[in-house]
Amino acid sequence: MHDDPRPAALLEAMARTLTDEVVPSTDEAARHAARVVANLCRILAREFEQAPTAGDRGAMEALLDLRGGRADLATLLDERLRESEVAFDERALPVLLADVERRLAISRPSYLAEPS
């Protein structure tokens, strides 16, 4: 259960206000700044909505055969991938693809759209 309004909804409202009300009524320099801030609000909203879950972290920990506790999974993953162990690389691919898709859905959702 979420309390309303959720942070993502507040950020979306801020972005809409900037885009719909501030941008049309300001000069070019201020318009650009308002568009940048609106875009940042939308990125943060997506971050709130699609933050990594315990399952995401669990998948990475399972891949690295960890039992919790290590905070820097990225460094450990980098080390393992540099070893070029084929069996590990094959198990890592779906976990890494899911992580990349989650990150793209936040930062550049249009990159995930099917080409037309």
Side-chain angles (χ1 to χ4, degrees), residues 18-69:
L18 286 166
T19 302
D20 298 345
E21 296 177 28
V22 175
V23 168
S25 64
T26 58
D27 63 39
E28 189 59 36
R31 262 183 251 148
H32 175 72
R35 283 188 197 108
V36 168
V37 173
N39 190 42
L40 292 173
C41 287
R42 288 184 176 103
I43 290 170
L44 287 171
R46 291 189 299 266
E47 181 78 37
F48 273 109
E49 292 293 317
Q50 300 177 31
T53 65
D56 295 331
R57 184 170 177 87
M60 190 70 71
E61 288 175 348
L63 171 67
L64 297 169
D65 197 26
L66 297 176
R67 303 291 182 251

Side-chain angles (χ1 to χ4, degrees), residues 1 4 9 11 32 36 38 40 42 49 57 60-61 67 72 75 77-79 85 97 102-103 113:
M1 182 162 128
D4 285 326
L11 287 161
H32 175 72
V36 168
L40 292 173
R42 288 184 176 103
E49 292 293 317
R57 184 170 177 87
M60 190 70 71
E61 288 175 348
R67 303 291 182 251
D72 194 4
T75 299
L77 179 62
D78 288 345
E79 292 168 2
E85 180 185 321
L97 287 174
R102 181 188 62 78
R103 291 171 189 256

